[in-house]
Amino acid sequence: MNLLRKITDGVTDERIYRRIGWMYVSFFLLYVSVTVLSYYLLPEGILRGKHPIISRLQFSPHVWVSTLQIFGYNLIPTTLIIACNLLAQQSRLVKERFVPIGYTAFWGLTILFAVITGSWSFGVATAAPPLHYRLVGMFDILHRSGLLEFSAYLLAAVVSFKFTLWYSDRKTIIASRKDGERSN
């Protein structure tokens, strides 16, 4: 529980570099643990073709057009994270801290990606590699975009941390930016 408190303190710190560092810590801890669990507990390919949007995507055969399509698709979660950061909820672990909801959206995307990686449920069916390759393969940014995409989502969440307008105690809005600056 002490680690979760440290992460909560870190991701809500006033200094942006501490927030970035602690968000990466939370990302990797969540990604690795959920990937390992889904590798051992879920059948291979359980989510393949289940995503209602991704399963219907048709990419252009032209590189530049498909690049713009992928960029546009990645703007959806980025915009969601930034918009969700307008509201922050009181932390259950550290009562004096408020965690932006965009962080929760980021962690939710991390869990989904980890389950897809652990169960090898990517859209293109290929032979499933061993667990260690799935974990280390994330760092192969020349052939895989997962780490770059999640770094962009993470940075969007951390930078938009200061955009929070409303603070909630998980039931009602208890403060807003116009009431005065709220410090976490």
Side-chain angles (χ1 to χ4, degrees):
M1 219 43 165
N2 193 18
L3 178 61
L4 292 177
R5 286 179 191 271
K6 285 182 107 169
I7 289 172
T8 302
D9 280 336
V11 299
T12 58
D13 193 277
E14 287 298 315
R15 294 166 291 194
I16 192 166
Y17 294 112
R18 284 188 51 93
R19 288 196 313 267
I20 291 171
W22 280 105
M23 281 295 281
Y24 270 113
V25 167
S26 71
F27 167 73
F28 284 115
L29 286 174
L30 194 58
Y31 175 76
V32 169
S33 60
V34 173
T35 299
V36 169
L37 284 172
S38 61
Y39 176 80
Y40 287 112
L41 299 177
L42 297 175
E44 184 179 312
I46 190 168
L47 296 178
R48 187 173 296 126
K50 301 284 194 288
H51 194 284
I53 297 172
I54 293 176
S55 61
R56 290 184 176 86
L57 283 179
Q58 295 291 325
F59 289 107
S60 171
H62 304 289
V63 173
W64 288 108
V65 175
S66 65
T67 300
L68 289 174
Q69 287 175 311
I70 292 169
F71 180 75
Y73 179 73
N74 280 308
L75 283 178
I76 295 169
T78 304
T79 304
L80 173 76
I81 289 168
I82 292 170
C84 287
N85 271 357
L86 294 174
L87 178 66
Q89 289 184 334
Q90 189 173 24
S91 170
R92 289 185 173 126
L93 299 172
V94 184
K95 295 294 184 194
E96 63 274 5
R97 297 285 187 164
F98 287 82
V99 179
I101 296 188
Y103 284 13
T104 306
F106 171 76
W107 291 321
L109 288 170
T110 302
I111 289 169
L112 178 63
F113 182 58
V115 169
I116 289 171
T117 303
S119 65
W120 205 249
S121 296
F122 293 103
V124 178
T126 59
L131 178 62
H132 71 280
Y133 178 78
R134 296 177 199 196
L135 295 171
V136 175
M138 174 109 174
F139 296 99
D140 183 8
I141 59 173
L142 293 176
H143 299 99
R144 290 171 185 78
S145 62
L147 185 59
L148 294 175
E149 289 173 357
F150 274 87
S151 291
Y153 301 153
L154 182 146
L155 292 174
V158 169
V159 169
S160 63
F161 171 81
K162 294 285 188 174
F163 296 173
T164 302
L165 296 177
W166 303 285
Y167 299 89
S168 167
D169 65 356
R170 300 190 165 272
K171 295 180 183 90
T172 60
I173 303 296
I174 59 172
S176 67
R177 180 73 56 166
K178 68 179 179 180
D179 295 338
E181 286 296 311
R182 175 101 189 160
S183 64
N184 279 334

